[in-house]
Amino acid sequence: MDSETSLDSLRQKIDQIDDQLHDLLIERTSLVEEIRSRKSRNGTPVIQPAREAAIFRRLAGRHRGPFPLGAVHRIWREIITAITALQQPIAVAVHVPDDQPGAWDAARDHYGSQVPMTPYSTISQVIRAVSERSATIGVLPMPTEDEADPWWRQLMSRDAGAPRIIGRLPFAGRGNARTGRDAVAIACQAVEPASCDRTFIVVEVPAQISRARLQSCLSAAGFQCDLLAAWASDGLSLALAELRGAVAPDDARLADLSAQLGEPIDRLFHLGGYAEPFVTTPRA
């Protein structure tokens, strides 16, 4: 067999594999109608970040060969978002300040090239777009400590339909996206605490309680805290804590936290959470 014939044979095999991949994609999509019907009957949100994270972690666990794992993630993100959009129209609002263009890249990489995306210059515009349902998902900068006007205060609501944090971006590496601060995704849907690897809560605390004491009380109550941001104004003191693991509203550790503080917690808000991002290791 000459080299040209051998090359043609290999190309035919690739074409056959492409056909099989395409057939499987069509078959996967055909399941959407049944999934949509069951979600509708059960009241399950169409967007399922924890399920999406589990899918990729399972694929990463079985991956082999030189094909980049980050590329596998991008392919599955396109598939997942496209199929999700068949169940419910998706639009993404992204906070893209002039000094942080990477937020747009992170949102595009996660939600795919076919989903409508709109840039906004202020965080309040993004939150309003999600609250008013003109956007399904909002992408905002990851909270940091000591922000003068922290945006997370705008998510403090008892309304079950208010925006909540549902994910963190990027999930599987930044790829060729422009550098910048990590981001969180918000949506107007319930977040199942058990599905979160990280949970955000906001507590109102007496003004005299320092950040160091609050950190100590959180640890004594059994929490592991990755981020503790504080904001105070006119005698009102709020603290945002990013806690490891699931934290349900009836978590016994919250009562223990109140005991450790020596003060009742008058107001506590669950702002949602996210599945822990997956770190892909580049090949040497």
Side-chain angles (χ1 to χ4, degrees):
M1 179 181 294
D2 59 37
S3 60
E4 188 62 34
T5 303
S6 177
L7 184 58
D8 287 342
S9 176
L10 291 173
R11 285 171 173 164
Q12 288 174 9
K13 288 182 179 179
I14 288 175
D15 288 344
Q16 290 171 3
I17 291 171
D18 286 345
D19 288 348
Q20 292 169 8
L21 289 172
H22 192 203
D23 288 341
L24 289 172
L25 183 58
I26 293 170
E27 182 180 351
R28 192 186 198 280
T29 306
S30 71
L31 298 174
V32 168
E33 192 60 42
E34 177 62 22
I35 292 172
R36 175 170 51 188
S37 175
R38 294 192 181 194
K39 283 183 178 179
S40 177
R41 290 198 300 267
N42 299 335
T44 304
V46 170
I47 299 170
Q48 292 282 304
R51 165 63 178 158
E52 295 167 5
I55 288 172
F56 181 67
R57 287 171 178 162
R58 180 179 60 79
L59 293 174
R62 70 189 300 277
H63 188 63
R64 64 186 184 277
F67 193 83
L69 190 54
V72 173
H73 180 256
R74 284 295 306 279
I75 291 168
W76 253 262
R77 283 306 318 168
E78 290 282 354
I79 292 171
I80 287 171
T81 304
I83 290 180
T84 301
L86 295 177
Q87 303 172 68
Q88 169 188 306
I90 297 175
V92 181
V94 190
H95 177 233
V96 190
D98 292 338
D99 61 341
Q100 295 181 40
W104 179 269
D105 298 348
R108 177 207 60 216
D109 288 355
H110 196 78
Y111 293 108
S113 58
Q114 303 303 306
V115 169
M117 288 176 39
T118 304
Y120 290 93
S121 59
T122 71
I123 289 176
S124 294
Q125 288 173 322
V126 173
I127 295 175
R128 186 179 307 113
V130 175
S131 299
E132 295 176 353
R133 308 308 199 266
S134 59
T136 320
I137 297 165
V139 176
L140 302 172
M142 179 73 182
T144 60
E145 297 181 8
D146 298 320
E147 293 177 292
D149 185 22
W151 63 259
W152 44 262
R153 293 185 299 118
Q154 299 180 53
L155 301 192
M156 293 170 54
S157 172
R158 302 293 187 196
D159 183 355
R164 292 289 180 264
I165 295 170
I166 64 167
R168 181 169 178 171
L169 310 180
F171 180 76
R174 196 171 293 278
N176 63 1
R178 287 167 288 187
T179 58
R181 187 165 153 189
D182 277 10
V184 294
I186 64 170
C188 292
Q189 65 179 53
V191 179
E192 177 56 48
S195 69
C196 296
D197 297 321
R198 297 289 188 274
T199 304
F200 287 100
I201 64 169
V202 173
V203 292
E204 182 178 346
V205 296
Q208 69 271 17
I209 294 180
S210 67
R211 181 181 300 179
R213 183 183 170 196
L214 179 56
Q215 179 75 66
S216 176
C217 290
L218 284 165
S219 298
F223 292 112
Q224 289 182 285
C225 184
D226 290 325
L227 168 72
L228 186 60
W231 178 85
S233 177
D234 298 328
L236 176 64
S237 183
L238 300 172
L240 170 76
E242 180 195 3
L243 306 174
R244 295 188 184 183
V247 181
D250 59 352
D251 194 307
R253 291 173 296 176
L254 294 173
D256 196 15
L257 173 61
S258 180
Q260 294 291 337
L261 290 170
E263 301 277 353
I265 298 176
D266 293 329
R267 294 202 300 165
L268 184 147
F269 299 88
H270 283 71
L271 301 194
Y274 61 87
E276 188 173 5
F278 188 96
V279 178
T280 57
T281 304
R283 288 186 166 271

